[in-house]
DNA sequence: GACCCGATCTGAATCGTTTCAGATTGCTGA
DNA sequence: TCAGCAATCTGAAACGATTCAGATCGGGTC
């Protein structure tokens, strides 16, 4: 005797109706109902109308996105990967602005963005989210050299674009002229006559190591952006044998860290008259520190940022502008190319020094206060 | 004759290996391979090791997330919905900070966040992204009363939390004391002696209508946040019969718009000595406008913001603080409750006036300039 | 009348998993 | 000796769609 065919479970409970349910109530095939949604030209207007009506009556919401993605082999989702907890990342408006410009670029093709980030808990498996993400491609925004997260992304072997990172593993690359911008910033201060400079750096590596940067540490920078900008600062000072550059590393990219770092810097090196910062957010902290110490900007201390945030206009902050909207557009274009099977050319976008009111020649050393 | 069984396509091309492929190479069942990944206790350590090894050799990356989601009925993704193009939304760091705090709250449960927003093209179907999103729930951040996007979300009948919005349709609610904060801001200026006030408002409705707010328009505010804050401003001025409040509506929440609006305001009402703003971003614009006009802050013009962004410290801006991290945590807790089948209580968080240096008593009317 | 064609509609395979309900095996205790 | 049981492993049914290769049918052409 053949094994009894399992009895179908009759009309299912209050569960969501499926394509099959609406097919059954009309006595048509599921293929036809599917066509009613996806290929209106494949069935008569009349039947299509009846199907859509029946669907409405049943409370059917249209084809399940998940099942559709599985069958079609595309999800319509791009993973944007930050190698840091997201609330840290978004403490910098520049990160958010970039994200906005990326989504703008990919929305036209009906792609959405899934946020993937490192967990807060350092014990937790950082790669889990990346490994379990249902996406058509990745955009990696900020990852240290050799980070597990980055490796997990590359392992997925999906279309991937690396932002501000050394190209590797067959992925596309978009970046800015980090070194050039930094060099311009430091050169600006040197041209004004400053010789004792401080630099507020973003993290050099994923380990938390805030404070003065040792020569040893400076040789092993994991983040490309940080490495390039240090290179720029160094290149500028190299032209002035009498110039000194004191590097400070931030634990987090926040005004609070920038303020603390500046206080430390000026305590250790009171001779410093100009500070270059790797972000406007850090520069905001430097401005606060100056206010705390009763130093006038730019009279007693010159400050330069990096990014040119919208708020930096109101702060009258001299800074290095970068083309955030273009960057997002370039990233979007690159990932779309990859999805289309084409190989996009690497992109490096320009930066530009924006001189505002937070920089001026140093007070001459011997001059009396005020 | 029975129809010939279709011939299996042999070893598939260079396509990605599946669970079945690794099962076949070891001669075990797919169930066992699945268990090797999901239920290590269901098979011997020995076999499990061989399976994982074979998987590695084949280049199998682990169970496909999509198929897994379909079968399990959960995606591990939450949709965060903005009823505006994302690059506009993220022009306000407050939006980004909120998003960061939400992701922080849900990451602990291995949930990720999918960004869903209105398209730039007003012709495009705004609801498409929401209808096609594979998510376990929604968080709606900023939607006008009766917006199609909001309706589309509610139609999906998934766990949903509404942020800064009137509760409706069985969804949870998290908000702040918008009116209270606004009232405190306006009251602060009135207490200082100001009587001619300007107010820089966020959009009143989804149509783009920047400029002075007519009485008619004021009666039909689509955004709850805007409505509540206007109510707060009005409540404060109501106590002073000799006080006037001039409402200006922003087209976008950006410093540029805030600046333009302030210039318009002061041109039309030179008697204004204090400006309350519905965001710090707009307040940044007001500060710039003052600088442009050669007005000193707070000597000639007092300015108050809303949000207390990190950058507002450096700007020395008096503003209304709101507990962004708590808000994200509350939203996260609410959505997790809903996913667990529980009904979270509505949450309303407090706001607080932070007095800094951008507010002072008005220069006495008759006093000579400087 | 035979043939072909376009317009509609259907059957069934497939996407890649998870999981329930056994089957098999070897061992223990009575 | 044999029922009972724990430890392993398997078969096959979902999950909810898309899509390809026909089937059916009425009408136009020669």
């Amino acid at each position: 005797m053949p094994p009894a065919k399992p009895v179908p479970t009759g009309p299912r409970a209050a569960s969501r109706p499926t394509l099959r349910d609406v097919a059954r109530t009309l006595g048509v095939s599921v293929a036809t109902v599917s066509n009613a949604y996806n290929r209106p030209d494949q069935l008569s207007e009349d039947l299509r109308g009846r199907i859509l009506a029946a669907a409405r009556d049943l409370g059917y919401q249209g084809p399940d996105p998940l099942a559709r993605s599985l069958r079609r082999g595309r999800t319509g989702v791009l993973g944007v990967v930050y190698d840091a907890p997201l609330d840290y990342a978004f403490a910098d408006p520049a990160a958010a602005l970039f994200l906005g410009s990326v989504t703008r670029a990919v929305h036209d093709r009906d792609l959405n963005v899934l946020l993937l980030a490192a967990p807060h808990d350092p014990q937790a498996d950082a790669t889990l989210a990346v490994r379990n993400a249902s996406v058509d491609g990745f955009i990696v925004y900020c990852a240290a050299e050799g980070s597990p997260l980055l490796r997990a992304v590359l392992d997925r072997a999906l279309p991937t674009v690396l932002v501000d990172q050394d190209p590797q593993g067959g992925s596309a690359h978009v970046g800015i002229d980090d070194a050039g911008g930094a060099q311009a910033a430091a050169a600006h201060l040197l041209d004004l006559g400053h010789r004792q400079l401080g630099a507020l750096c973003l993290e050099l590596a994923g380990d938390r190591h805030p404070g003065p940067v040792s020569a040893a540490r400076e040789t092993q920078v994991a983040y490309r952006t940080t490495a390039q900008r240090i290179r720029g600062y160094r290149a500028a000072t190299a032209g002035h044998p009498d110039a000194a550059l004191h590097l400070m590393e931030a634990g987090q990219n926040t005004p609070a860290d920038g303020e603390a770092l500046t206080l430390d810097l000026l305590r250790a090196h009171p001779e410093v008259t100009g500070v270059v910062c790797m972000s406007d957010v850090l520069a905001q902290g430097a401005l606060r520190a100056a206010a705390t110490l009763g130093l006038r900007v730019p009279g007693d201390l010159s400050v330069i940022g990096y990014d040119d945030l919208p708020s930096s206009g109101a702060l009258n902050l001299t800074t290095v502008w970068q083309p955030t909207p273009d960057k997002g557009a370039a990233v979007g274009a690159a990932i779309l190319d990859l999805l289309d099977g084409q190989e996009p050319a690497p992109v490096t976008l320009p930066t530009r020094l924006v001189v505002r009111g937070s920089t001026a020649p140093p007070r001459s050393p011997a001059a009396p206060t005020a």
Side-chain angles (χ1 to χ4, degrees), chain A:
Chain A
M1 205 180 4
K5 242 190 165 179
V7 185
T9 21
R12 237 185 321 293
S15 100
R16 242 163 247 272
T18 73
L19 226 169
R20 197 215 306 269
D21 294 326
V22 11
R24 202 150 32 197
T25 66
L26 258 71
V28 301
S29 88
V30 294
T32 302
V33 178
S34 174
N35 282 335
Y37 284 95
N38 302 307
R39 313 187 166 183
D41 57 314
Q42 293 294 302
L43 68 170
S44 66
E45 257 317 311
D46 169 56
L47 178 55
R48 175 153 194 264
R50 281 176 14 239
I51 290 178
L52 264 28
R56 190 158 8 86
D57 293 350
L58 278 173
Y60 179 68
Q61 301 281 343
D64 180 89
L66 213 46
R68 177 194 294 233
S69 295
L70 175 60
R71 181 59 237 236
R72 287 196 174 155
R74 323 178 275 101
T75 64
V77 174
L78 259 25
V80 174
V81 182
Y82 292 77
D83 197 0
L86 273 185
D87 49 349
Y88 294 177
F90 285 167
D92 190 345
L97 289 169
F98 167 74
L99 183 60
S101 68
V102 169
T103 59
R104 153 151 220 168
V106 300
H107 264 181
D108 296 339
R109 290 272 284 266
D110 289 331
L111 292 167
N112 291 111
V113 160
L114 179 70
L115 260 27
L116 299 167
H120 276 89
D121 181 2
Q123 306 289 2
D125 179 3
T127 69
L128 193 126
V130 162
R131 285 185 292 120
N132 285 342
S134 299
V135 296
D136 296 334
F138 286 106
I139 294 166
V140 183
Y141 181 60
C142 141
E145 199 62 36
S147 102
L149 210 51
L150 178 56
R151 196 158 35 235
V153 168
L154 297 176
D155 278 350
R156 292 279 310 255
L158 290 172
T160 298
V161 9
L162 265 27
V163 183
D164 292 337
Q165 241 147 138
D166 288 317
Q168 63 183 289
S171 33
H173 175 257
V174 172
I176 63 167
D177 179 15
D178 276 299
Q183 181 164 358
H188 174 57
L189 288 185
L190 292 163
D191 288 350
L192 287 171
H194 296 267
R195 285 299 175 270
Q196 291 291 327
L197 303 185
L200 267 44
C201 300
L202 299 171
E203 289 172 90
L204 304 211
D207 52 349
R208 203 43 67 71
H209 239 283
V213 177
S214 69
R217 189 166 174 82
E218 190 179 340
T219 62
Q220 306 178 331
V221 188
Y223 291 102
R224 193 195 108 115
T225 294
T226 308
Q228 289 294 309
R229 293 186 188 178
I230 290 180
R231 214 162 65 79
Y233 295 150
R234 288 280 180 217
T237 45
H240 298 265
D242 56 335
L245 179 66
H246 308 286
L247 265 37
M248 302 291 288
E249 172 176 1
Q252 276 183 46
N253 183 22
T254 61
D257 263 48
E259 182 173 1
L261 233 42
T262 306
L263 294 175
D264 287 353
L265 170 70
L266 293 176
R267 195 174 307 125
H269 300 281
E271 70 277 19
V272 163
T273 58
V275 178
V276 286
C277 307
M278 289 200 190
S279 74
D280 280 5
V281 166
L282 289 173
Q284 286 168 18
L287 295 179
R288 290 206 57 118
T292 303
L293 295 173
L295 297 174
R296 309 205 81 181
V297 174
D300 301 317
L301 188 72
S302 285
V303 175
I304 304 192
Y306 212 118
D307 289 337
D308 194 20
L309 299 181
S311 61
S312 296
L315 277 170
N316 208 13
L317 178 70
T318 296
T319 189
V320 177
W321 167 89
Q322 59 167 304
T324 302
D326 296 347
K327 198 163 149 189
V331 169
I335 194 83
L336 293 179
D337 277 357
L338 286 174
L339 290 173
D340 290 344
Q342 314 201 358
E343 193 148 341
V347 174
T348 300
L349 297 166
T351 53
R352 188 161 46 78
L353 182 69
V354 177
V355 178
R356 295 204 182 90
S358 66
T359 47
R363 192 180 302 288
S364 70
T369 314

